[in-house]
Amino acid sequence: MPTIRSFPRTRILRRFLPATTFLCIVLLLRSLKDDATNYARVDVIMPHQPPVVVTEVKTQWMEVKRMSMPFMREVGNDEHSNRILGRFSLEKHQYRSDGLLEVNPNGAHPIFELIRNAQAAWDAKLQRASRTLAEAVAEYKRRYKRLPPQGFDDWWEYVQKHDVQLPDEYDQIYEDLEPFWGMDPQDLQRLQFDWEAHFDSYTIGKKKDGPIMIVNFSLPAIQPNTFDLRDGGYQIMELLKDVEDKIPPFRAIFSPHDNPNLHIDWELKDQALKHAAVGTYINDPPPVKLDGWISSCSPTSPAVLGPLDLDAPAPIPKAKTFIHTHKLVMDPCLHPSLLLLHGQFLSHNKGPVPHRFMPPQFSYSPTMLHHDITPAMPINWLEDLAEDWNPKWEERRDERLQWRGMNTGIWHAQDTRWKEAQRARAIMWAGIGRVGGDGNVTILKAGTEDQRVGKGETVKWARWAPAMLDVAFAGVPGGCAPGTCEELERVFEWRKPLDMIAAGNYKSTVTAGQNGKFTDRIAPWIHYIPVQVDLSDLADSLTFFRGDPNGEGAHDDLAKKIAMAGREWSLRFWRKEDLTAYMFRLFLEYARVMSTDRLDMSCTSC
């Protein structure tokens, strides 16, 4: 998913925030001058008020009072109506259960509300964080209905020593490992042993009182100009060297690639979770499904009840929407159009046959349709940006949304749907491809918090895009078959990569990925701006913060606030110590669930 980030001293991250889309953009906040003396002031009656009220109307000529019954009338979308009715006429937006906010034209621009709600939720999360080991144990038992793992007290000591924030927010580990609690540990060990032999993996582990090391691998031979696929394992070893003596023996298989490969069967996972809840084990897994991706979805999910035509383009959204809960929006079972919009899914067309069993494996970027376990990888991690890479916000002169990157994410060939994958669509949307940039776009006016957002203004995107965007592929085509590489060169404009000094001149950037993990440790609309994979809200979000091509309607103060919060988050919540704390706790949990004596692997003294 595309992700738009601001640059202010933020650390470069591996694209972990999927369907992600970060947006922190430049805008000028403009306040509307109050000229109520030139218009009638009306105290608008709302439906929840008493049935009969006295309404006062004042003009510059006279003042009268009258009795009236409450009513709501259709109002215009013009500035005059907004000034007269003001905030009293604003209606609520719809918060849908699929993670999207559906815009009500009679409400204020929803980004104001999304920011306000997100800040309140983030502040509450920080406030309720455990301060002592006893509090952390009590919160653990409340959330997960069992004792913490053996070594939890050592983990807590590390957390306190290194000032790790949000010590309770590790639900991702629970979600990844809970299905394995419904499986016999002996079966898990057998599956783990058999899966170690599969090609394209490496295994890290440790023996009692020994160091963590790579204990097995089955990888392609290292070729010139390629990197060692075991590098992720070496980085994990370095990350955990100070705490490895506190971690029990384990063996963990890793996929060395960005994408996962363990497609889950929903019925199998559901049975495993039910057994885990009562402390029993699966005896007979359900039969293999042949329904591809939707095999991973509940029978009552939108993906199953209203399956898409996987040979057709993704449907166009019927309403303006924004993300309110990012993780839900990353779920293809709730949003089946994702199967037609992202290379992870398009690469497999209808989807692979799900696994009949659940071999435990770690992958760098799992999706909601895979049961791969999520690690916190330090790949491409930087402590901070150099000073000359990171000018002050006010010194960044380019207000366009910036992106440079390769055409990765899907194999490009005549028999693949690369034109519908996330990166190609983003470039076409930006008008830097011959098949994009020439349509009309309806964009919401930002206005102020007491103005109706309306249904939007239709603009010629080809005229707006050059002033709003600096988005293009960099270098030369890659990941393509003969013939298709030449087509890519013809279709797209290929620009030079930007160095970090040049990139630092922009106030916003977008990243394209598909991973909704770690969302319990970062807040959309506080640390980043989430954008949907179909890009249907990107122009609206960009215009809200950056303004129109002339900068009108911009909210630069809010963009700067999010940019600064994102930088602070990277320096306080995504340090090396935070990655270590995550992996330390993950392997404590993993070692326990893989043990044949899970009770003894619990922290009974905590």
Side-chain angles (χ1 to χ4, degrees):
M1 163 176 251
T3 306
I4 306 177
R5 290 199 306 250
S6 65
F7 278 110
R9 302 178 185 266
T10 51
R11 187 174 293 119
I12 296 177
L13 306 178
R14 190 93 173 160
R15 40 187 154 123
F16 79 87
L17 271 170
T20 189
T21 311
F22 299 152
L23 178 80
C24 294
I25 311 173
V26 54
L27 325 152
L28 293 176
L29 178 62
R30 300 184 181 274
S31 60
L32 186 62
K33 182 180 179 182
D34 182 10
D35 52 358
T37 57
N38 298 322
Y39 296 92
R41 183 180 68 82
V42 180
D43 295 331
V44 177
I45 310 307
M46 302 301 291
H48 59 270
Q49 290 178 308
V52 180
V53 298
V54 175
T55 302
E56 177 182 288
V57 180
K58 293 182 179 179
T59 71
Q60 54 188 328
W61 301 286
M62 62 182 299
E63 176 178 338
V64 298
K65 291 186 178 180
R66 67 172 181 267
M67 301 294 292
S68 66
M69 296 292 291
F71 69 95
M72 289 298 294
R73 63 181 178 86
E74 183 70 24
V75 293
N77 188 35
D78 59 303
E79 188 174 355
H80 177 80
S81 297
N82 273 323
R83 283 176 171 169
I84 293 178
L85 298 180
R87 62 184 177 85
F88 299 105
S89 65
L90 298 180
E91 299 176 7
K92 294 182 179 180
H93 301 293
Q94 179 186 358
Y95 283 76
R96 293 173 10 187
S97 60
D98 62 0
L100 291 177
L101 175 151
E102 187 169 321
V103 176
N104 181 343
N106 293 323
H109 197 294
I111 288 181
F112 291 115
E113 183 177 318
L114 289 165
I115 292 175
R116 188 166 56 249
N117 291 348
Q119 187 66 63
W122 180 253
D123 291 344
K125 181 177 289 188
L126 293 174
Q127 183 63 34
R128 65 174 179 262
S130 295
R131 302 291 189 268
T132 66
L133 174 60
E135 290 179 357
V137 170
E139 179 62 14
Y140 186 102
K141 292 191 289 187
R142 185 192 70 81
R143 293 191 185 204
Y144 311 132
K145 307 300 185 290
R146 63 173 65 97
L147 288 170
Q150 185 182 86
F152 189 81
D153 47 352
D154 295 320
W155 174 83
W156 179 260
E157 182 179 346
Y158 180 88
V159 164
Q160 293 296 292
K161 179 179 178 181
H162 296 281
D163 194 28
V164 175
Q165 303 296 305
L166 297 177
D168 305 312
E169 304 305 328
Y170 291 86
D171 288 353
Q172 186 62 54
I173 296 176
Y174 169 81
E175 293 171 9
D176 285 345
L177 298 184
E178 188 63 12
F180 299 118
W181 279 87
M183 301 173 65
D184 190 316
Q186 292 184 339
D187 291 338
L188 280 176
Q189 291 180 6
R190 176 180 54 79
L191 288 170
Q192 194 272 341
F193 178 82
D194 292 343
W195 194 246
E196 269 194 33
H198 91 281
F199 185 68
D200 226 9
S201 69
Y202 65 85
T203 302
I204 65 172
K206 65 164 291 188
K207 296 180 180 180
K208 186 177 181 181
D209 300 325
I212 296 175
M213 61 180 63
I214 293 180
V215 296
N216 197 1
F217 66 90
S218 178
L219 297 167
I222 302 175
Q223 301 296 326
N225 301 320
T226 62
F227 66 93
D228 189 342
L229 291 174
R230 295 170 297 180
D231 186 58
Y234 296 134
Q235 293 192 35
I236 293 172
M237 291 159 55
E238 176 67 20
L239 198 66
L240 295 173
K241 67 179 182 179
D242 292 338
V243 297
E244 61 185 352
D245 60 322
K246 306 294 185 181
I247 299 175
F250 72 92
R251 293 177 76 93
I253 305 169
F254 279 74
S255 168
H257 304 293
D258 282 348
N259 55 304
N261 55 35
L262 295 180
H263 180 205
I264 185 63
D265 178 344
W266 178 87
E267 186 179 2
L268 173 61
K269 183 177 180 180
D270 183 61
Q271 287 187 14
L273 290 172
K274 288 177 178 177
H275 279 282
V278 296
T280 56
Y281 304 140
I282 289 179
N283 291 320
D284 187 22
V288 174
K289 311 296 187 302
L290 302 177
D291 298 323
W293 292 123
I294 64 172
S295 300
S296 299
C297 299
S298 162
T300 60
S301 68
V304 175
L305 295 178
L308 290 178
D309 180 355
L310 295 179
D311 295 320
I316 298 174
K318 297 179 180 179
K320 285 278 189 182
T321 57
F322 291 85
I323 295 172
H324 72 75
T325 303
H326 204 168
K327 196 166 187 176
L328 292 175
V329 178
M330 302 295 285
D331 187 351
C333 297
L334 294 176
H335 300 275
S337 62
L338 292 174
L339 301 175
L340 302 172
L341 294 169
H342 199 281
Q344 171 63 49
F345 307 116
L346 288 168
S347 296
H348 301 279
N349 298 314
K350 180 182 177 181
V353 175
H355 285 257
R356 186 165 187 257
F357 302 99
M358 293 180 63
Q361 174 186 279
F362 296 74
S363 294
Y364 300 158
S365 298
T367 77
M368 304 291 187
L369 303 189
H370 294 82
H371 74 259
D372 302 59
I373 302 165
T374 310
M377 297 299 296
I379 298 174
N380 288 353
W381 180 92
L382 288 178
E383 183 173 358
D384 204 349
L385 298 177
E387 288 295 328
D388 57 349
W389 295 0
N390 187 35
K392 295 180 180 179
W393 180 261
E394 291 75 15
E395 295 173 359
R396 297 170 184 265
R397 303 305 181 190
D398 204 319
E399 300 179 347
R400 294 174 298 169
L401 176 65
Q402 181 272 334
W403 182 82
R404 291 289 187 282
M406 297 295 294
N407 60 309
T408 57
I410 192 172
W411 175 249
H412 298 68
Q414 295 300 315
D415 59 348
T416 65
R417 300 173 69 173
W418 57 266
K419 292 180 181 178
E420 298 163 64
Q422 67 278 15
R423 293 198 171 195
R425 282 190 300 103
I427 303 301
M428 294 173 184
W429 172 83
I432 313 301
R434 293 186 180 181
V435 294
D438 58 355
N440 292 329
V441 176
T442 301
I443 297 179
L444 299 177
K445 290 185 176 181
T448 60
E449 287 192 77
D450 60 356
Q451 288 182 306
R452 295 172 60 252
V453 67
K455 296 182 179 180
E457 175 187 2
T458 300
V459 302
K460 190 75 171 178
W461 187 241
R463 296 175 182 171
W464 277 45
M468 304 282 282
L469 308 167
D470 184 8
V471 174
F473 282 131
V476 296
C480 48
T484 305
C485 289
E486 290 74 16
E487 182 181 0
L488 289 168
E489 284 192 287
R490 292 192 303 269
V491 169
F492 299 110
E493 177 184 344
W494 296 79
R495 299 178 182 173
K496 293 182 179 180
L498 291 177
D499 61 31
M500 293 302 293
I501 294 177
N505 192 46
Y506 294 81
K507 287 192 172 181
S508 63
T509 186
V510 59
T511 66
Q514 165 72 17
N515 190 347
K517 307 299 184 178
F518 307 116
T519 52
D520 48 356
R521 302 188 63 80
I522 191 169
W525 303 108
I526 300 299
H527 308 115
Y528 68 96
I529 308 301
V531 177
Q532 297 172 61
V533 176
D534 64 5
L535 306 180
S536 60
D537 52 353
L538 180 49
D540 289 313
S541 292
L542 178 61
T543 304
F544 178 89
F545 291 101
R546 178 245 184 272
D548 67 15
N550 296 320
E552 295 292 332
H555 293 80
D556 188 65
D557 58 333
L558 295 179
K560 179 181 178 180
K561 183 177 180 180
I562 294 174
M564 297 302 105
R567 166 174 162 71
E568 181 187 8
W569 180 87
S570 73
L571 297 176
R572 291 188 62 206
F573 295 85
W574 202 246
R575 307 163 302 156
K576 267 289 180 63
E577 294 85 354
D578 302 306
L579 302 183
T580 298
Y582 191 96
M583 295 299 289
F584 186 179
R585 180 158 166 172
L586 174 59
F587 282 133
L588 291 179
E589 297 279 13
Y590 176 75
R592 175 170 63 167
V593 79
M594 294 294 294
S595 172
T596 55
D597 197 349
R598 291 171 174 173
L599 182 60
D600 283 350
M601 293 287 286
S602 297
C603 189
T604 55
S605 62
C606 289

